[in-house]
Amino acid sequence: MLAKANRIVRGDDFRRIVRTGRRAGGAVAVVHRARPEAAVARFGFIVSKQVGNAVVRNRVKRRLSEIVRAELDAIEPADIVIRALPAAGRADFATLRAGIVPLLERRS
């Protein structure tokens, strides 16, 4: 799990990042990146019902969180929202990681 300082939880923050941030897409997710409001990288995850049932959605969220936690030191401070696409529900961990890490490394 990500530290509290690295999580986005307010709906207003999610809306601001998705609407005003720069977007980079891949096969399994779309990453929205906006200017940071804090001195650290903060992350939020959007996993809709199109991804799968509750078990699948929660598994995808846990996997995304673990991928981000492992890459946290290499990511410059920004507010980032990761929106999972339906393919993320069918992807294994290695495929999901391969699809997310390049999107996280892109600069805004």
Side-chain angles (χ1 to χ4, degrees), residues 10-86:
R10 292 184 36 226
D12 291 341
D13 289 338
F14 275 93
R15 280 187 286 281
R16 175 185 60 83
I17 295 164
V18 170
R19 289 180 182 161
T20 65
R22 297 184 56 102
R23 186 173 59 221
V28 294
V30 176
V31 174
H32 300 268
R33 180 187 305 258
R35 295 185 193 276
E37 286 192 354
V40 296
R42 297 187 319 150
F43 296 89
F45 305 103
I46 300 173
V47 184
S48 74
K49 287 185 177 181
Q50 292 179 343
V51 174
N53 64 21
V55 173
V56 173
R57 291 194 309 268
N58 286 324
R59 182 184 321 126
V60 169
K61 282 187 260 189
R62 285 192 309 272
R63 287 177 174 178
L64 290 173
S65 181
E66 179 58 25
I67 291 167
V68 166
R69 192 186 62 73
E71 297 293 323
L72 199 54
D73 294 336
I75 300 169
E76 65 184 29
D79 287 345
I80 299 172
V81 171
I82 300 173
R83 183 169 47 90
L85 298 176

